[in-house]
């Protein structure tokens, strides 16, 4: 049996009308190790992702021994409570070639409305440095595509970013950092989706004091046309510096705000890395006391033992 057929046999019970938002569509075993959960994405689910992303050419990717080791090491460096949540609720880690963006975490429910997740990860992150991946992401809202440079220290590939960011989303879905991680999940889980959280009055609407002019024009990863000129980069980063957020990407909605707060804390406090932006030749150091304090407060459910 080839790897894809094995994945179909052991990780899903797919039929023509499979509901991929239900746990019953998967054969989930929390006793599997993280390594055993690295499997090819089932072809029917892969096709659904291509339709969702309006993409073509998505394909399962088999990790090399070195890539698998690097991925498992990145998971192993996560805080204990976060790793425990992943062990209990992550169904699979799917590496997909050609994926738009660096990764995604998707949710599903069991009959008791308990949340489980799977992760989709772009293996291109293994071929780029951590700083390069962050720079490309933060530059993607600019028309020239290279307006922002992020210095997150030497060494380490972009998979460090993908693991930390998506793991934070996973924790948010299954244990809670924010009130809910996306609107559809909030509704499906029976939560009240009205109202705000932390510096947000709504899921994608910040409090006026936490907003900044360029935020409304941010578009990432080519899902829509960039709206910012490269010449605006210095001004945009100055606005970011004076905000509560740890990245441009983190200012788009409260779920990504929380995930980016964890990334910031993980890189700077746990791994001892710098976190500096260069925009239009001007350096902006985002590792500030205010951001460290906010991260400690927001991330308390995840970081406490």
């Amino acid at each position: 049996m080839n790897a894809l057929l094995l994945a179909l046999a052991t990780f899903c019970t797919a039929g023509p009308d499979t509901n991929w938002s239900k746990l019953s569509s998967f054969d989930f075993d929390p006793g599997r190790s993280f390594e055993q959960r690295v499997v090819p994405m089932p072809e029917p689910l892969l096709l659904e992702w291509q339709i969702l992303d309006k993409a073509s050419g998505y394909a399962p990717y088999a990790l090399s021994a070195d890539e698998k080791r690097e991925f498992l090491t990145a998971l192993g460096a996560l805080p204990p409570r976060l790793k425990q949540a992943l062990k209990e609720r992550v169904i699979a880690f799917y590496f997909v070639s050609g994926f738009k963006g660096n990764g995604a975490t998707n949710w599903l429910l069991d009959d008791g409305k308990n949340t489980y997740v799977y992760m989709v990860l772009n293996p291109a992150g293994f071929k780029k440095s951590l700083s390069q991946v962050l720079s490309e992401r933060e530059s993607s809202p600019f028309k020239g595509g290279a307006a922002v440079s992020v210095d997150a220290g030497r060494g380490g590939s972009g998979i460090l970013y993908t693991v930390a960011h998506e793991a934070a989303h996973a924790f948010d879905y299954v244990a809670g950092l924010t009130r809910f991680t996306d609107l559809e999940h909030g509704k499906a889980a029976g939560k009240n989706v009205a109202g705000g959280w932390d510096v947000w009055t709504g899921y994608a609407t910040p409090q006026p004091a936490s907003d900044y002019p360029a935020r409304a024009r941010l578009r990432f990863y080519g899902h829509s046309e960039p709206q910012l000129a490269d010449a605006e980069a210095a001004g945009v980063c100055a606005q970011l510096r004076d905000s509560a957020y740890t990245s441009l990407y983190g200012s788009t909605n409260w779920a990504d705000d929380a995930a980016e707060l964890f990334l910031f804390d993980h890189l700077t406090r746990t791994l001892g890395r710098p976190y500096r932006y260069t925009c239009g030749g001007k350096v902006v150091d985002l590792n500030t006391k205010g951001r460290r304090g906010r991260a400690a407060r927001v991330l308390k459910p995840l970081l406490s033992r």
Side-chain angles (χ1 to χ4, degrees):
M1 185 180 291
N2 66 34
L4 181 56
L5 290 177
L6 180 62
L8 283 165
T10 60
F11 277 83
C12 72
T13 53
D17 300 313
T18 299
N19 184 346
W20 295 106
S21 66
K22 296 292 185 181
L23 182 64
S24 56
S25 297
F26 298 81
D27 178 23
F28 173 59
D29 180 359
R32 293 186 177 113
S33 67
F34 287 155
E35 182 174 6
Q36 291 171 322
R37 301 185 207 192
V38 179
V39 294
M41 179 179 279
E43 187 172 2
L45 184 56
L46 190 71
L47 292 173
E48 289 212 3
W49 272 97
Q50 286 193 139
I51 293 169
L52 176 68
D53 288 349
K54 298 178 180 179
S56 61
Y58 282 7
Y61 178 87
L63 297 185
S64 69
D66 287 344
E67 288 170 339
K68 184 173 287 187
R69 190 178 306 111
E70 185 177 359
F71 173 63
L72 295 174
T73 298
L75 286 173
L78 297 173
R81 289 199 70 183
L82 179 47
K83 283 189 290 188
Q84 186 60 36
L86 299 182
K87 288 178 181 178
E88 293 175 358
R89 298 295 181 91
V90 170
I91 295 168
F93 301 104
Y94 300 126
F95 283 88
V96 174
S97 293
F99 189 70
K100 281 189 177 181
N102 290 295
T105 298
N106 206 32
W107 59 273
L108 38 138
L109 303 177
D110 66 9
D111 292 338
K113 291 192 174 182
N114 299 301
T115 301
Y116 295 77
V117 297
Y118 62 82
M119 289 189 196
V120 187
L121 304 102
N122 190 336
F126 289 110
K127 309 300 183 185
K128 301 176 182 179
S129 72
L130 171 63
S131 293
Q132 183 181 0
V133 165
L134 291 173
S135 297
E136 290 178 355
R137 185 196 69 180
E138 295 293 86
S139 289
S140 63
F142 295 87
K143 295 175 182 178
V148 177
S149 175
V150 180
D151 176 14
R154 296 181 179 179
S157 79
I159 208 68
L160 283 172
Y161 157 69
T162 309
V163 167
H165 183 96
E166 297 306 327
H169 278 321
F171 187 92
D172 197 11
Y173 274 120
V174 306
L177 283 175
T178 65
R179 289 182 50 235
F180 50 86
T181 318
D182 68 55
L183 288 168
E184 291 306 313
H185 174 254
K187 293 174 183 177
K191 297 181 180 181
N192 179 5
V193 297
W197 170 81
D198 201 64
V199 301
W200 300 81
T201 59
Y203 179 74
T205 306
Q207 297 171 358
S210 299
D211 205 355
Y212 59 91
R215 195 193 68 84
R217 294 191 289 147
L218 296 174
R219 304 289 186 275
F220 291 89
Y221 292 130
H223 287 286
S224 59
E225 289 296 316
Q227 297 188 12
L228 296 167
D230 284 11
E232 298 179 80
V236 172
C237 288
Q239 294 173 28
L240 174 65
R241 177 198 62 207
D242 296 335
S243 76
Y245 310 110
T246 56
S247 68
L248 297 175
Y249 193 72
S251 67
T252 55
N253 59 69
W254 76 40
D256 283 311
D257 181 18
E260 288 293 286
L261 279 168
F262 173 69
L263 175 71
F264 164 80
D265 179 81
H266 188 59
L267 294 181
T268 59
R269 186 179 60 82
T270 304
L271 302 181
R273 289 175 171 268
Y275 200 73
R276 292 184 291 266
Y277 280 46
T278 300
C279 313
K282 296 184 178 180
V283 177
V284 177
D285 191 345
L286 295 178
N287 189 358
T288 62
K289 181 179 179 180
R291 288 180 174 84
R292 292 193 296 271
R294 183 169 179 247
R297 174 173 53 80
V298 169
L299 300 173
K300 190 174 181 179
L302 184 154
L303 296 176
S304 59
R305 292 181 178 273

